[in-house]
Amino acid sequence: LAWAAKNPYGDSGATLHSSRECWMSCVEGNGLDGTFKVGAISEAGKLFVAPDTASSCTFNASGVWDSTSAYTSSATGISPITSVPLYDTWNLRLFSAPFMSLIASHGSAGYVYIGNSATLNVTNNKNLYFVANDGIGAHFDNGGELTVSYSCQ
């Protein structure tokens, strides 16, 4: 079965090629390869569900997003973080990663830096949430989106 879902952030949803139901739009692709978009405004992030047969997935991000239109960034974020006022960075989800970089929650590992490219082991955790590394509660003034391509094996 293919599922289509609509998330609370107005995303129209995308086809998920899996038997798992997903409350947010997930991914477009054939299961092992595909793309999805991550909006900078999404506080919850974009859910990616790795295929049941996958043990690892490689993610490559492109595009730009911004925070308050003052800071435009690619997936690698704004670095050094000292170039951004403290009030914009005091409660980042992953303080070790640049402000507005692409990160993902990864089970017990917590948040991990994705940036332009990363490969993650998905054997024990199939659900990943991709999000902008902005302050918790501060995504409301962000704009833009990144396109993330993935290849799993």
Side-chain angles (χ1 to χ4, degrees), residues 69-82:
S69 300
Y71 310 106
T72 300
S73 171
S74 67
T76 57
I78 297 169
S79 188
I81 201 166
T82 55

Side-chain angles (χ1 to χ4, degrees), residues 42-53:
S42 176
E43 184 81 29
K46 175 69 81 173
L47 174 63
F48 171 82
V49 180
D52 289 334
T53 58

Side-chain angles (χ1 to χ4, degrees), residues 25-49:
S25 66
C26 291
V27 297
E28 296 174 354
N30 64 11
L32 293 177
D33 300 287
T35 62
F36 58 93
K37 294 189 182 295
V38 181
I41 198 168
S42 176
E43 184 81 29
K46 175 69 81 173
L47 174 63
F48 171 82
V49 180

